[in-house]
Amino acid sequence: MPLEFRLLGDLEVRVDGRRVELGHHRQRCVLAVLLVEAGRRVSIDQLLDRVWGHHPPRHGRDTLYSYLSRLRRMLAAVDGARIAWQSGGYVISVDPMTVDVHRFQRWVGEARTAADPHARHLLEQALALWSGDALANLDTPWLNTLREGLVQQRHAAELDLTDVHLRSGRHAELVPALTIRAARHPLDERLAGQLMLALYRSGRPAEALRHYQRIRLHLVEELGADPGPSLQDLHRRILTADPTTTPPASTPATLSGPPGIVPRQLPAPPARFTGRRAELGQLSRALDESGRPGGTVVISSIGGIGGIGKTWLALRWAHENIDRFPDGQLFANLRGFDPIEQPTSPVTAVRGFLEALGVDPQGMPTDLDAQVGLYRSLVAGRRMLIVLDNVRDADQAAPLLPGSPTCTVVVTSRHQLAGMTAVTGTRPVALDALDDAEAHELLLHRLGADRLAAEPEAVAYLLACCAGLPLALAVLAARAVLSPQLPLAALAVELWDTTDRLDAWDSGDLRTNLRAVFTTSYLGLSAQASEVFGLLGLAPGPDIGLGAVAALTGLAPARVRGPLRELEGMSLIHQHTPGRWRMHDLVRLYAAEQAGEDQPETARQAALRRLVDFHLHTAYAAERLLAPHRTPIKLGDPAPGWWQGPPADHTAAWTWFADEHACLLATQRLAAKHNWHEAVWQLAWSLDTFHFRRGTLQDQFDDWLAGLEAARHLDDPEAQMLAHRVLGHACARLGRHGPAMDHFQQALTLAQRTGDLAAQAQIHQGLAMSWAQREDLRQALEHTTQALHRYRALDDPVQTADALNDMGWYASRLGLHTEGLAHCEAALALFRRHRHRDGEANTLDSLGYIAHHTGRYDQALSYYNEALRLLQEIGNAFDEANTLEHLGDVHATIGDQQQARNAWCQALRLYRTQNRAEDADRVQRRSPAV
């Protein structure tokens, strides 16, 4: 289902299986209330009462409108859902069948008028929608009352399903579950009657009568009343062995083979299964939504890597749903990627199934087609589950697929089996690594809370090294269990060196040895795919884009797509977003090992140099699009190989930086490790505008610290001067005023030594900013004047405009508003003439400040709003935060406190995101309510 609202558990909204972030607790409550009333208007007063009860906040309506506005924006991009105002209230327009509560109620209602087979199917579907307590993560009086009502509806549906099962003769298998439920609900007479009837029909009349006496005593003690007429009548009929209590004949299974054979081949379920609730739900829905039992479900990890837990998931789901397959379960390990044994042939697997179904081996056909025909005949019409584990390819699995829609097949494979999916309509279920909480829970189950609590740092390191791979976690946990005196820190020490980290998972059993597990996939690759796989293991960063893969391998995109598809099909990489691939951390270590064994050092070095040059030259080209007026630097020629060319425009450049940011930082570290010093400082330069506009000042500082060290290695005074200047800006913006002044002074000394007027001017501007942060505005104005003289001498109109804006800003801060206004208006004219949007936005902010402090409040608001529009268009989040704070100041001055708080809240969020603690504290002091 592409759109799904889940209330029967934690509140969730899913679009195409992906969870949508729903925001604050109260905001989630608002959505829950609207979904419960889907299609019906809910008044403002009702919303306030249902979300806050008798204690709404002081500005409850404003807060409610804010939540509704955010929810409307969130749903605007979702087809099939819309929140709209409707005569005094709000209504959410959705198909009720996309809301699990309404789906549950509809199916239960339909079941009560349906014939038993269809009623059973409807009730099972309805109850399968529950994943825990309804609205479990929400707490308001109204929702708590609603939850209690839904619990009663669920209980009634369970009783309805029990009645259906009793009428179909399944009394014996119901007794254990009914006994447990009766203990939980000791006063429920309908449930007591069901248990009594099941016991009696199972040949246990004495226990049925004892249960009647038990509930009679409970009712007398708790309510002072005897059982009702219906339960008393059942008691009488059991006492007299009334024929109406005789069990009905069970519906016989449709069998084409030997009668009486019900195979139960499933191995035991995993003892301590962790997580995977979403994937278990996907498997169940694949069966439910088919409208009938049947269909083929393919389980695949991120590419299906070995050790991700495919078999564990299949067995867990099979055992949880075993009652849905009363005619038996077949299981075959096809050993498609077994490090010890050869893959199981279809002939061997089919013969095993036929023997399990009761066929005499002596009378079994010898021809494979005949065996497959007999097998499909024997399972036809039977409600059976067939689990095909560790399938190598579609050809191996095809003969084992039944032809009857009453059967369900679960396939596990490292291969994606795209051909089978296309032909049979299978539903892939993609397994990812366990998240941090699930991985911790797995270790907790196996090692116990005390042992984990004793060494939290070692546990955190083990979890990080395993990166959520269940097999890796299980092997380390087993080693710890077998050596209870061994500190977990000792295991962690074994994992410190990445060059031999995989040795820690060599347990002596090839089936749990990670190298052996990965090797079985690696050996199935073509020569070109093997080479690409090894090089991908060397690439820095969390993932990699197509252009980077092409540069790394020296292959054009059209040629590299084939190996990437092959690696993805073999579950060794995963395309997590279009055009970007990632591999599990442990697979990456294995790939790097293979590159070291299969490719010479010169080839590996050349590949990494191509990758560094790809990132450097693309980043430089993207930087020129973001800041075309910035004085450029000169790059050398890239290493021979494929390069995709520059991004198309400003938007493409920003998107490229956002996608590649983590990889660019990792690439700079790689370049530093290989002593490619020019690339180190040039990457810092190329990332500068992106870091500044995004407000990632610590990244900017770290990049340039590495750049400064590289420039010193090169003995390049111009690069050193540039590094000191930018480090001065970064330190100043991070509030590190002493180091900022030191860097600026060192930069100025170098610039004066080389006679670089432009650099001197820029450094004077930086010094001005540092003095202004220390509230010495006259020193700031003096340094800005020095910068302006140099820019005019250089006849640089854009930098002249920048200095004029700075002069106007500092003058107005000193109260010289007339002088400041003249400077800023001159700056604005120059910036607009040369289409410098960054400078235009900053100058509009300065003019807003002057208008505010000269009593022209409407003009101030106009300036600030225009500045915000420009800053948001170019992605300059750093200056956007400043302007939002200034905008809030104007609203506060004119008495519009709500608008002031809104602006300050947005500024505070940006300041905190950018780790600008001083700025955040200043805004917080202005309005503690922010």
Side-chain angles (χ1 to χ4, degrees), residues 693-725:
R693 290 184 182 175
R694 208 184 200 193
T696 49
L697 302 179
Q698 189 61 50
D699 286 338
Q700 184 185 39
F701 176 82
D702 293 341
D703 266 7
W704 273 108
L705 206 58
L708 177 60
E709 185 65 22
R712 284 171 174 162
H713 277 290
L714 293 168
D715 196 21
D716 183 338
E718 288 191 13
Q720 291 179 49
M721 179 270 296
L722 186 58
H724 279 302
R725 179 171 65 79

Side-chain angles (χ1 to χ4, degrees), residues 549-582:
V549 178
L552 179 71
T553 60
L555 300 172
R559 291 186 58 201
V560 84
R561 286 185 184 276
L564 287 172
R565 280 195 295 270
E566 186 177 345
L567 292 173
E568 195 171 2
M570 288 296 287
S571 306
L572 291 168
I573 61 172
H574 170 60
Q575 189 173 186
H576 65 98
T577 193
R580 299 197 69 80
W581 290 264
R582 68 185 181 201

Side-chain angles (χ1 to χ4, degrees), residues 244-284:
T244 59
T245 59
T246 302
S250 298
T251 303
T254 305
L255 300 175
S256 300
I261 299 296
V262 180
R264 307 287 187 190
Q265 289 192 320
L266 290 178
R272 293 179 176 88
F273 190 82
T274 300
R276 306 300 195 204
R277 300 315 305 175
E279 291 83 359
L280 288 166
Q282 275 184 269
L283 287 167
S284 294

Side-chain angles (χ1 to χ4, degrees), residues 503-540:
D503 292 346
W505 285 280
D506 185 355
S507 60
D509 181 350
L510 286 179
R511 290 192 173 92
T512 57
N513 181 314
L514 286 188
R515 275 199 189 90
V517 169
F518 297 153
T519 297
T520 55
S521 296
Y522 180 71
L523 292 176
L525 298 175
S526 66
Q528 190 173 61
S530 298
E531 182 177 344
V532 171
F533 175 67
L535 292 176
L536 288 174
L538 302 176

Side-chain angles (χ1 to χ4, degrees), residues 720-757:
Q720 291 179 49
M721 179 270 296
L722 186 58
H724 279 302
R725 179 171 65 79
V726 181
L727 282 169
H729 280 283
C731 287
R733 294 184 184 112
L734 287 166
R736 303 168 189 169
H737 304 304
M741 294 295 285
D742 289 343
H743 281 298
F744 281 133
Q745 288 298 344
Q746 291 183 68
L748 187 59
T749 299
L750 288 166
Q752 288 170 340
R753 189 178 301 162
T754 60
D756 188 336
L757 287 182

